[in-house]
Each structure stands twice: as C-alpha cells, then as structure tokens.
Amino acid sequence: MESRKRVLVTGASRGIGRAVMRRLASDGYRVTGLARKAPEDLAENEEFFCIDLADLDATRALVTELAAEQPFFGLVNNAAMAPTTSLDDCSIADMTDAAVLSMYAPLVLTQVVVSGMRRMKEGRIVNLSSRAALGKVNRTAYSASKAGIIGMSRTFALELAEHNITVNVIAPGPIATELFRSASPPDHPRTKALMQAVPLQRVGEPEECAGTLVFLASPSMSGYITGQIIHINGGQ
C-alpha cells in the first residue's frame, strides 16, 4: 500500500475512469472523481464531485478549492467525447467539443494541480489518448484531440521533470466501455473488421487500462518513466 496520496480522476463515472478510480481506491489512494453524474456504485472510500468539465471556469474553481484542502499527488485526465462524423460532415463544433474535453480541460486541471505537486516535489500525471490518434475512419475530431494530448503531454513532461513530476500517456485501442459500444455496434461491418485487426482477437477491459495506470501513478515503481506513450491495444 503506497499511502493516502491524493489522485484526481476525470470521467470517473464509467468505463476506464470508473475502473481507475476503483483500483486506486483499493490500493490505498485518496481518490477524487469528477464527471457530470456520480456512479451508482460509489464506495465509501471514494469521493466524487459532479461537474461539467466543458465549463472550464467552474472546473478551475472547483479543483482550486479541492487542492487548497489537500494537494493532489496524481492527476488522471480521462474524460473525452467522440463525435462519429465523416470528413464531409465533421463540423467546427465537433472539433471544439472534442478538444474541450481532451485538451482544454486537461490543460486547466494540470495548471491547477501542478502548484501543489511542485511544493511536494513529486507528482504523477497520466493523460488518456487513444489508438485513434494514429487515424480512424469517421473520427476526425476525436483523432485530432487525442493526438493533441500526446503533444501536450510530452511538452508537460519536459517542463515538469525538474520538479520530479512525471507525465505519461496511455493510448488504449478498443476497450469494452460504454463509449466504445455506442460508437462501434458489434454487428457493424466496421466493428467486425476492427476485431479482425486485433492480434489478440478481443476487446480489452477497462481494468487492464487501470492496472497500467496504477503502475504509472506509483511513487516507487515508475519514477524514471516520463514523456512516454503506452499503447494498450491487443497488438493492433
């Protein structure tokens, strides 16, 4: 058990974020989750605040208040949304919506929590990207935002290394989340083709991402890893 170090997780009501929150809490961290709705299975050792992360001013205000009570050792920027429009139909609004959750909110949250990390002279930031950052049909906005967080993370890693703060990226492939199921119906030809392209011939589980994230968040196991992208995609 590491300690009661505090970790902030966004998009923590379902999918990968929910799995991460449960795992961190079970490993002894003080976990604070953010999302628009609280999960129905919230445990006593998990704290949760409902907020629309697209409201950047409200997000900054809330997390500033939380960090004043106890600084955060860890930050997991997981929240995202995935417009499924084709090239011809992709709009500026689609691009903005995806960027707000995958780039703008992580920027705001990182700016808030790093002051406490600098004072503690340690910190772990893990940002969620996606295999789609390499390109995916009908995901122009999502792919762009997930490629953007990679560039941001590598820059953060360079700027924060002197403070013993690491910044890494997890880039999942197809994971059995609500977002994946809604965007990729199992009987759709494109989904079937996707499964055929995965060497392990299955969809990943949120808990598999959570295990990798806990490793990257560890104060003792991953302190010499920063600016890296870990792909969790079954070999895709």
Side-chain angles (χ1 to χ4, degrees):
M1 212 72 66
E2 296 285 2
S3 74
R4 289 289 288 172
K5 292 179 181 293
R6 195 178 191 189
V7 181
L8 180 66
V9 181
T10 71
S13 62
R14 59 182 184 171
I16 293 173
R18 187 73 193 100
V20 166
M21 191 173 182
R22 282 196 300 260
R23 177 64 187 272
L24 288 170
S26 70
D27 281 7
Y29 292 90
R30 179 185 174 187
V31 189
T32 303
L34 299 181
R36 285 180 296 179
K37 295 181 180 179
E40 296 179 357
D41 61 345
L42 194 66
E44 291 184 0
N45 62 342
E46 300 172 320
E47 59 185 14
F48 205 95
F49 294 87
C50 294
I51 189 166
D52 182 356
L53 292 165
D55 186 336
L56 300 178
D57 290 336
T59 297
R60 186 185 294 274
L62 172 61
V63 178
T64 298
E65 181 180 344
L66 295 175
E69 181 226 336
Q70 178 186 343
F72 289 97
F73 164 77
L75 169 64
V76 180
N77 285 306
N78 166 72
M81 59 91 66
T84 56
T85 50
S86 68
L87 166 62
D88 292 332
D89 295 330
C90 184
S91 67
I92 297 301
D94 290 331
M95 297 292 289
T96 301
D97 289 345
V100 166
L101 285 184
S102 290
M103 296 171 61
Y104 304 168
L107 173 64
V108 167
L109 292 165
T110 302
Q111 288 174 333
V112 173
V113 303
V114 291
S115 59
M117 292 178 178
R118 289 188 179 111
R119 290 195 302 272
M120 296 187 296
K121 298 182 179 179
E122 63 174 355
R124 298 286 185 270
I125 299 171
V126 182
N127 295 322
L128 271 288
S129 181
S130 169
R131 194 222 64 83
L134 301 175
K136 187 174 182 180
V137 172
N138 290 343
R139 299 292 192 281
T140 293
Y142 183 66
S143 296
S145 66
K146 288 305 186 180
I149 194 63
I150 291 174
M152 290 169 59
S153 299
R154 286 176 158 166
T155 301
F156 295 171
L158 293 172
E159 293 189 18
L160 297 174
E162 65 178 297
H163 304 286
N164 194 32
I165 301 168
T166 66
V167 186
N168 291 291
V169 175
I170 289 178
I175 304 295
T177 65
E178 295 86 346
L179 184 63
F180 175 80
R181 292 192 190 100
S182 64
S184 305
D187 294 330
H188 195 285
R190 194 171 288 125
T191 305
K192 293 180 179 180
L194 173 63
M195 288 300 94
Q196 291 175 357
V198 178
L200 287 181
Q201 292 291 291
R202 67 175 178 88
V203 175
E205 295 297 328
E207 290 73 18
E208 293 175 295
C209 294
T212 302
L213 193 143
V214 167
F215 166 72
L216 291 174
S218 169
S220 60
M221 292 190 293
S222 60
Y224 201 52
I225 301 173
T226 193
Q228 303 305 306
I229 307 166
I230 297 180
H231 294 272
I232 305 176
N233 59 20
Q236 186 181 19

